[in-house]
Every structure is written in structure tokens, then in C-alpha cells.
Amino acid sequence: MKKASLTSGMNRHQKILCVILLPPIILAVPQIFGPKNFCPNPEVATIALYLSASMTFAVSLWAGYLLHTGKLTPAPQWYSLGRTKRCLVFIGCPFLLWLMLHLSFGYTIPRIWTMLDSETRTVKYEVTKYRGGGRYSCSYQLENDHLDRLYFEICVPRNFWYRLPDRRFIATFKVEQSSLGMTFEGTRDDWAGPR
């Protein structure tokens, strides 16, 4: 009786592509599902933007070349897709790759550096109350015009949120700051409150 071999069905080029793409995808997971309380320095965010865009472009060109030469073979389901779905995949995959790389380079890696080398400080921001959607734990937020709400949230407890003024006010926050950015530590019970 023949033993079934445990092969993944992937060729060498597909394995190399997976090894390149897997770490940034894994590094993006904490920013997607974890607390969004890290704010990178503007220079770090700009470098991450350009670095992730250039890496996405290079990987997309390489993957396109491998597809064109037949060294990268799509799954059998690919051939059952219509023209519209194939176009959406060609547009969506590079965008998804760029997003994962951007989250990894711009948020997760600087956050890890900040965890290893930072000092505790207090910062002041002019904020207003904001009722967020999505996760219940962060439905009650504060917003600032200079902090991107897509990647960053200032969460406060519900009962505290209702006691805050409805107008703009200056709030003091406790943060862990490094050369790459800062992590807002005081967003719950130890939040410093309005001043």
C-alpha cells in the first residue's frame, strides 16, 4: 500500500511569496483587533506610507511576472470567476497587501519599539466627545482633529463620558513616548480628565 505524501501543493515561488507576506499580515493583526491607542510620529507615518506602497508595488510586479511566466499557478476556483470578479481581485489584493504592510510598518513595529524603549509623559490635546460605533468597549470616545480616527481611538468609560462637557475642552493624557510615537496609557480609569 502506498503512503500518501504530505505535500502542500505549493511550488517554490509560492512558498517564497508566503514567507515574504506572512510576517506583515501577522504583525497587522494586533492593530486590527487590539486596542488602537498608539499614535506614530508624523515622520514615521510618512515613511511607513511610502515603504508599504513601494513594497506593495514590488511584490505585485513580482507576483504578476510569476503568473505571466506560469511559475505561480492560481487555485482552480480562479478559472470559474467572471471578468468582474477577477478585476476586483486584481485591485483588492494589492490594496489589502498595502493596508497590512502599512499597519505593520506604521503602527505595530513602532508600538513594539515604544514598549521596549519609552518614558512616561503627559500630553494635552483639545478634544470633543464622540460616540463611536463598532466595538462596544470603545463606543464612548474623545476625538481630536489631528488624530486619525481610522487607526486611533481615545476610549473612555461610559459613565465618565456622560460627565464631560459637550463643547471642546483641553484634556491631559498619560502616555508612553518613544522616538517613534506614543501609546496612550491613560484611556480608562487612570485617565487624567479635563483640565
Side-chain angles (χ1 to χ4, degrees), residues 15-29 97 104:
K15 289 177 183 176
I16 292 170
L17 202 57
C18 283
V19 166
I20 291 171
L21 298 180
L22 199 56
I25 291 171
I26 291 172
L27 284 173
V29 170
L97 176 60
S104 298

Side-chain angles (χ1 to χ4, degrees), residues 25 43 52 63 92 144 163 176 185:
I25 291 171
E43 302 85 26
S52 57
N144 177 282
R163 291 184 301 182
E176 293 295 322
E185 296 294 331

Side-chain angles (χ1 to χ4, degrees), residues 66-191:
L66 292 176
L67 276 170
H68 182 70
T69 57
K71 295 177 181 175
L72 186 67
T73 54
Q77 296 86 355
W78 169 257
Y79 300 104
S80 65
L81 296 177
R83 184 178 295 237
T84 306
K85 289 183 179 177
R86 286 186 187 189
C87 288
L88 287 174
V89 169
F90 273 117
I91 294 169
C93 283
F95 177 75
L96 185 63
L97 176 60
W98 170 81
L99 182 64
M100 295 296 129
L101 290 170
H102 181 63
L103 290 176
S104 298
F105 297 143
Y107 291 87
T108 306
I109 294 172
R111 179 192 291 251
I112 292 169
W113 177 263
T114 302
M115 288 169 54
L116 298 174
D117 181 35
S118 65
E119 39 183 307
T120 304
R121 295 193 175 181
T122 56
V123 294
K124 293 186 179 186
Y125 283 104
E126 186 177 22
V127 295
T128 55
K129 286 169 43 173
Y130 172 72
R131 183 70 189 266
R135 298 179 297 159
Y136 177 77
S137 63
C138 205
S139 294
Y140 302 92
Q141 303 176 23
L142 300 176
E143 70 173 347
N144 177 282
D145 296 336
H146 303 292
L147 301 174
D148 187 5
R149 273 189 283 155
L150 183 62
Y151 301 119
F152 182 79
E153 298 171 336
I154 304 174
C155 305
V156 293
R158 177 182 171 187
N159 58 352
F160 185 71
W161 188 85
Y162 281 111
R163 291 184 301 182
L164 296 173
D166 290 329
R167 56 179 168 67
R168 288 184 173 274
F169 62 94
I170 303 292
T172 305
F173 300 92
K174 185 176 84 170
V175 298
E176 293 295 322
Q177 188 166 21
S178 74
S179 58
L180 300 182
M182 58 185 160
T183 303
F184 281 63
E185 296 294 331
T187 56
R188 289 286 174 193
D189 300 331
D190 57 349
W191 192 75

